[in-house]
Amino acid sequence: MEVDGGAGDGVSVSVAVVACTAMTIFYVAILYSPTLILRLPPPTSFKSYMTRRFICAGISTVVSLLVCAFILPIKSWETPYLLSAYGIHLHHTWEAVLLPLFLTSLMYTGSFLLKFFSLWTLLTEQSGQQIDLSLHGIKTALQNFINWIHSHLCNISSWRLYIVAPLTEELVFRACMIPLLLCGGFKPYTVILLSPVFFSLAHLNHLLEFYMHQASSFLKACMVVGFQLGYTVIFGSYASFLFVRTGHIAAPLVSHMFCNFMGLPAFFSPRTRMVSVGFVAGVVGFVYLLFPLTSPELYNHKIDNCKCWHRYCDWMSLREYAVAY
């Protein structure tokens, strides 16, 4: 990819930070623009309300991508080169999807065990009933599974939780902000800790929404949202780590979708201690495999004279980046 070489041709620290701050504010502010700025009538249903938000989130994402493209010192505007700046690649796609997904799932070992024991208890309670393994029974089970998938596809909340939010947030807070911060001269591990701060600040609007819509006390709202912000910082650090290490936006994207689907990891259950044992074992496995499964060599073709594997190092002093990384 053709970029302006040398530290002097990169993005200044102030420009990188201001751009990231502006994208964070814009990502949240535009959600309220239909009512506060455009003076549109209130949505008549929850579906229309979420549709408006989807459109606003999409607009803010596209604007952030375009602004980022103009700020970053990219000379070639050919599509493959431009997309690669955001970590959008066609090569090593399976690795970028499956390996981070497996790594992330280790943190949910306790949750998987809890699901298994719950299912086992249900089957034990129904031990007196004969399980229908006939063709009709299998068709019924398959139809129930299809109905479950269809219910999620038709549920606007599912689209928000599993598609729109992960996609727009990863594109803005990882694909746009991390290249800007790296190009601004921040060290990679500083970026991994700094980027989630913008990510968590974008969730501060939940404090007002929870306080007003849930009719809760301000203290309770602060506790709930504070816990959520802490979780977003932790996950944001992990997602940023995946993006910096792999150079693939698919890695944090699938992990984001999976975590939204699973919720918080289960680490304790009054039914059995095996959930806690499984959680600890999963954490140990996660820590042990964190660096091996995110090794840049697994996700990218070798690029001569490039130490970071996705060419961010060409946007600053190569020597400085190599020492930092």
Side-chain angles (χ1 to χ4, degrees):
M1 185 171 79
E2 292 183 329
V3 293
D4 291 332
D9 295 329
V11 177
S12 66
V13 174
S14 58
V15 170
V17 173
V18 169
C20 291
T21 304
M23 285 189 287
T24 302
I25 295 174
F26 184 60
Y27 185 86
V28 177
I30 195 174
L31 297 177
Y32 303 94
S33 62
T35 303
L36 299 180
I37 299 178
L38 300 180
R39 299 296 181 179
L40 296 179
T44 57
S45 65
F46 179 72
K47 184 176 181 179
S48 61
Y49 169 76
M50 293 307 305
T51 301
R52 282 187 184 181
R53 289 209 156 193
F54 291 171
I55 295 174
C56 292
I59 293 174
S60 66
T61 301
V62 172
V63 170
S64 296
L65 290 170
L66 292 176
V67 170
C68 190
F70 280 104
I71 295 177
L72 292 174
I74 304 174
K75 288 183 178 179
S76 175
W77 281 73
E78 295 182 17
T79 302
Y81 297 151
L82 188 60
L83 293 180
S84 66
Y86 303 115
I88 302 174
H89 306 286
L90 295 180
H91 62 80
H92 296 81
T93 303
W94 287 109
E95 293 90 336
V97 171
L98 296 180
L99 294 181
L101 187 60
F102 170 74
L103 182 65
T104 307
S105 66
L106 291 176
M107 292 297 296
Y108 289 90
T109 305
S111 300
F112 292 139
L113 286 174
L114 182 60
K115 295 290 185 181
F116 171 78
F117 286 120
S118 298
L119 180 60
W120 181 265
T121 301
L122 179 62
L123 293 176
T124 302
E125 293 175 352
Q126 297 178 350
S127 58
Q129 302 178 9
Q130 185 178 0
I131 300 177
D132 189 1
L133 296 178
S134 64
L135 181 60
H136 175 73
I138 296 176
K139 286 183 177 181
T140 301
L142 181 60
Q143 184 62 46
N144 291 335
F145 178 71
I146 294 175
N147 291 338
W148 177 78
I149 295 179
H150 183 264
S151 65
H152 278 285
L153 291 176
C154 297
N155 191 332
I156 195 72
S157 296
S158 296
W159 279 90
R160 173 196 181 188
L161 195 60
Y162 309 137
I163 304 296
V164 178
L167 182 60
T168 58
E169 289 176 356
E170 293 306 320
L171 286 175
V172 173
F173 295 97
R174 249 66 72 179
C176 287
M177 292 190 183
I178 288 180
L180 280 172
L181 294 173
L182 288 175
C183 188
F186 289 94
K187 295 181 179 180
Y189 288 102
T190 302
V191 172
I192 291 173
L193 297 176
L194 179 60
S195 177
V197 174
F198 297 105
F199 183 53
S200 63
L201 291 177
H203 292 76
L204 276 177
N205 62 310
H206 294 171
L207 175 62
L208 181 61
E209 292 182 355
F210 186 87
Y211 176 67
M212 295 180 62
H213 297 161
Q214 300 294 330
S216 301
S217 64
F218 185 73
L219 178 60
K220 182 179 180 180
C222 289
M223 292 176 62
V224 172
V225 176
F227 177 81
Q228 184 184 32
L229 292 181
Y231 178 77
T232 56
V233 168
I234 295 174
F235 174 78
S237 299
Y238 173 60
S240 300
F241 175 86
L242 288 177
F243 186 68
V244 170
R245 290 278 291 177
T246 67
H248 264 271
I249 192 61
L253 179 60
V254 296
S255 299
H256 196 157
M257 291 177 175
F258 179 77
C259 289
N260 280 5
F261 179 77
M262 293 295 296
L264 293 175
F267 58 89
F268 172 78
S269 174
R271 299 180 181 179
T272 174
R273 297 179 179 178
M274 288 301 297
V275 173
S276 298
V277 173
F279 174 76
V280 173
V283 171
V284 172
F286 175 85
V287 173
Y288 180 76
L289 295 174
L290 181 61
F291 283 90
L293 289 186
T294 59
S295 177
E297 292 91 341
L298 296 174
Y299 302 91
N300 298 274
H301 297 297
K302 184 175 181 180
I303 302 174
D304 294 336
N305 299 322
C306 183
K307 303 298 183 183
C308 64
W309 303 90
H310 33 59
R311 318 259 2 205
Y312 297 151
C313 58
D314 284 350
W315 300 348
M316 65 175 76
S317 170
L318 181 60
R319 182 179 300 176
E320 290 179 4
Y321 196 100
V323 172
Y325 201 72

